[in-house]
Amino acid sequence: LRHTERVDFRDPSWIGDTDSPYDPCITEEGHKQAARIGFKLAQTGIARVLCSPFLCAAQTAQGVAHYLEDVYAIQIETGLCEMLHPTWFPEAQLQVPGSEQTLWGPSDLLKEICTYLDDSHETLCTPVFPESIAQFRQRCRMLLEQLVKMHRGESLLLVTHASVIEEMIKALIPGATVPDLPEGSLTTLVCSTASGEGGVAVVDSACDRTEEAQVRSRKSRASFRRRRGGGRCTAGDRPRARSYA
């Protein structure tokens, strides 16, 4: 599940009025959207929810998990975080003790906002910063392999970002055409042992957002990328615009 609508996508000027420009929350509409998704998934048998450490993903996971009877905690998995390419995160650094600038907030702050979070989970894949496209792809594939191995037979909900979902689809279906992944879109990947390692039986992407909201979001993302700016990378190592967030 891609996180629901972020405040900076609706209001690009938000980035100039915050101390955490890399960790935006979701909007009121984002909270409503998460609730609708949770209601939709209530009877689907999801046994575990893991989310990116970014606030927008944690808030989305909280809103969805409220409706899942078999889920009592949300696990923070840093391997599900956005691609940490310096073009998207100029002059940023990963969270370290004493750091003045971080990409996402500490777990104790997240727990104050999202009561379902369980920070006892030991992350399966630790990202690096700055992260190249090759490193990001490797991270996504390693995480996917570990999740399949550890939770075979379970239904997992991964609340993350478009770039992560895209890479996981490509890892399972080489050469696949990745569907559009607007905020709040739910992509279903069903691994089939009958089709061999990495086989996929179903790929589906659905979203209940209106077309007007999706168009507004795409325009906001383009504006935000221009505002975020900075950083340089070679042509062969430049992230595509549609992969962001």
Side-chain angles (χ1 to χ4, degrees), residues 41-214:
L41 297 177
Q43 304 299 323
T44 56
I46 292 174
R48 191 181 302 269
V49 176
L50 296 92
C51 75
S52 159
F54 282 97
L55 181 57
C56 61
Q59 289 182 311
T60 300
Q62 168 98 358
V64 173
H66 178 74
Y67 294 88
L68 306 181
E69 294 184 358
D70 296 328
V71 174
Y72 303 99
I74 300 168
Q75 298 174 334
I76 302 174
E77 173 51 57
T78 58
L80 289 172
C81 77
E82 180 59 276
M83 177 168 64
L84 304 181
H85 198 283
T87 299
W88 292 349
F89 299 95
E91 302 177 1
Q93 59 186 21
L94 281 178
Q95 180 182 333
V96 294
S99 169
E100 295 182 357
Q101 185 179 28
T102 60
L103 297 185
W104 56 75
S107 59
D108 56 345
L109 175 61
L110 281 178
K111 290 187 72 173
E112 291 181 8
I113 301 173
C114 306
T115 56
Y116 286 18
L117 289 182
D118 173 18
D119 59 0
S120 64
H121 169 70
E122 294 186 9
T123 190
L124 301 176
C125 191
T126 302
V128 297
F129 182 84
E131 184 177 48
S132 68
I133 293 178
Q135 290 172 318
F136 170 69
R137 288 172 175 166
Q138 182 181 29
R139 185 235 299 179
C140 291
R141 291 166 188 264
M142 288 177 59
L143 176 60
L144 183 60
E145 290 175 359
Q146 292 186 66
L147 289 173
V148 171
K149 182 178 180 180
M150 294 176 62
H151 304 291
R152 187 175 298 276
E154 289 186 42
S155 293
L156 307 182
L157 177 63
L158 309 180
V159 185
T160 181
H161 310 267
S163 58
V164 177
I165 298 172
E166 180 175 344
E167 284 306 318
M168 287 187 170
I169 291 175
K170 289 180 177 179
L172 290 170
I173 322 173
T177 299
V178 179
D180 187 28
L181 300 170
E183 298 95 309
S185 58
L186 183 65
T187 303
T188 304
L189 303 178
V190 181
C191 297
S192 172
T193 55
S195 58
E197 184 176 357
V200 174
V202 178
V203 178
D204 177 53
S205 184
C207 180
D208 65 355
R209 294 168 62 88
T210 63
E211 179 61 26
E212 181 274 331
Q214 293 184 34

